[in-house]
Amino acid sequence: MRVTIGEIREMKQRGEKIPMLTAYDYAFAKIIDEVGVPLILVGDSLGMVMLGYESTIPVTMDEMIHHVKAVVRGTKHAMVIGDMPFMTYHVSMEDTMRNAARFIQEGGAQAVKLEGGEVVADKVSRLVSCGIPVQGHIGLTPQSVNQLGGYKVVGKTAEVAVRLLNDARALEEAGAFSIVLECIPAPLSQLITERVMVPTIGIGAGKGCNGQVQVVSDILGLFTDFVPKHAKQYARLNQTVTTAVTDYIAEVQAGDFPTTKQSYEMDKDILDQITA
Ligand code: KIV
């Protein structure tokens, strides 16, 4: 049985911190699920860390669905959340519903995430009323990078801080089951977390949030184009992979790989027959 939105809400009520991680493929999703992460986000960050785009803006629904399916196949327990890409929930209500439904029906995800506060509350409300759990996302919303003028901390002025508080309340009222707070000053995240009943999941938003989310490639040291200030590297997989591939090249070039251990034998009589 997979983690439910009710269980996530109860974690906040019990004061239990909620770990969330991104995953983009079968193999990593399987490990993350088996270790016990309750929320797995197939983030549109895959555009940057898996597909090599400069931002998340070019990511398409088809690309997202492809990765969501792989993650769903690799998981048994976690709730899988599909991240709605740029402009797939802005054009119209019909469009929003159709795209969100694809994540659930075609992709096999249990929930969707979309960026924005009050401005998307009507969409959140409609999705929830149709039985689609929605995770909100406010603060630094990477799909608006061109509007924000870069990847920066959001909420340092009184005006923006009040807007974020209102956004969080609007998402809660619309029925979001949790809200991602990205790159928001820690004291403001703490205040938002106290003012809403739904769990907040922070990324670069301090320890006062009810949970934390990170991009898996950042914490494993796999994506090294840049390392965000809020990311801690728990491993250096890029170094591990570099060493392994360098050793492989050296052994192939030296004729040391493969050995008999990695080779297949055949019946000597048959070999004699064909070489006679
Ligand atoms: O796309 C993503 O990975 C995200 C997380 C950083 C929250 O939106």
Side-chain angles (χ1 to χ4, degrees), residues 1-257:
M1 182 65 194
R2 289 190 187 260
V3 171
T4 62
I5 56 171
E7 285 166 336
I8 297 300
R9 284 205 197 100
E10 283 163 17
M11 285 174 86
K12 171 160 181 159
Q13 283 153 16
R14 286 197 299 269
E16 205 178 308
K17 293 282 186 184
I18 307 163
M20 169 165 148
L21 262 184
T22 66
Y24 314 107
D25 65 6
Y26 174 84
F28 275 102
K30 194 158 181 253
I31 298 169
I32 294 166
D33 189 55
E34 283 172 1
V35 172
V37 173
L39 295 177
I40 297 184
L41 171 70
V42 186
D44 64 353
S45 50
L46 69 83
M48 297 168 84
V49 302
M50 299 295 286
L51 305 178
Y53 298 145
E54 276 184 12
S55 73
T56 58
I57 289 172
V59 177
T60 66
M61 271 304 294
D62 286 344
E63 285 167 338
M64 290 302 302
I65 295 289
H66 177 77
H67 288 271
V68 166
K69 282 181 171 174
V71 169
V72 169
R73 285 193 289 266
T75 52
K76 289 193 176 78
H77 307 293
M79 179 194 302
V80 176
I81 305 167
D83 205 5
M84 297 192 67
F86 182 60
M87 278 297 146
T88 61
Y89 51 98
H90 298 94
V91 178
S92 67
M93 189 65 88
E94 287 69 29
D95 228 30
T96 308
M97 304 304 289
R98 201 174 308 110
N99 286 323
R102 277 191 73 189
F103 275 109
I104 309 294
Q105 232 172 1
E106 206 180 313
Q110 287 75 53
V112 299
K113 174 170 86 58
L114 43 85
E115 296 182 4
E118 275 183 308
V119 75
V120 293
D122 59 333
K123 308 275 180 24
V124 173
S125 173
R126 184 76 186 278
L127 290 169
V128 171
S129 72
C130 291
I132 299 181
V134 180
Q135 182 172 64
H137 181 163
I138 58 174
L140 169 57
T141 45
Q143 291 170 12
S144 308
V145 62
N146 294 323
Q147 182 74 29
L148 296 169
Y151 299 99
K152 304 176 187 162
V153 176
V154 180
K156 285 188 167 182
T157 64
E159 189 196 343
V160 179
V162 168
R163 201 179 66 220
L164 288 173
L165 272 164
N166 291 338
D167 281 339
R169 282 201 204 96
L171 288 170
E172 172 167 52
E173 271 169 32
F177 77 90
S178 61
I179 307 170
V180 169
L181 306 182
E182 181 163 355
C183 290
I184 293 178
L188 177 59
S189 301
Q190 169 109 37
L191 190 64
I192 295 172
T193 302
E194 288 162 6
R195 295 271 173 95
V196 293
M197 298 291 285
V198 288
T200 58
I201 313 284
I203 173 164
K207 58 193 285 187
C209 300
N210 302 118
Q212 297 293 327
V213 57
Q214 284 287 307
V215 169
V216 69
S217 325
D218 288 339
I219 67 157
L220 296 182
L222 259 177
F223 180 75
T224 52
D225 289 5
F226 60 90
V227 182
K229 172 177 157 64
H230 58 68
K232 175 174 168 185
Q233 288 189 333
Y234 290 83
R236 302 266 191 280
L237 286 198
N238 74 318
Q239 283 170 19
T240 308
V241 174
T242 301
T243 306
V245 175
T246 306
D247 290 351
Y248 170 72
I249 293 171
E251 288 198 5
V252 169
Q253 287 175 339
D256 293 338
F257 177 88

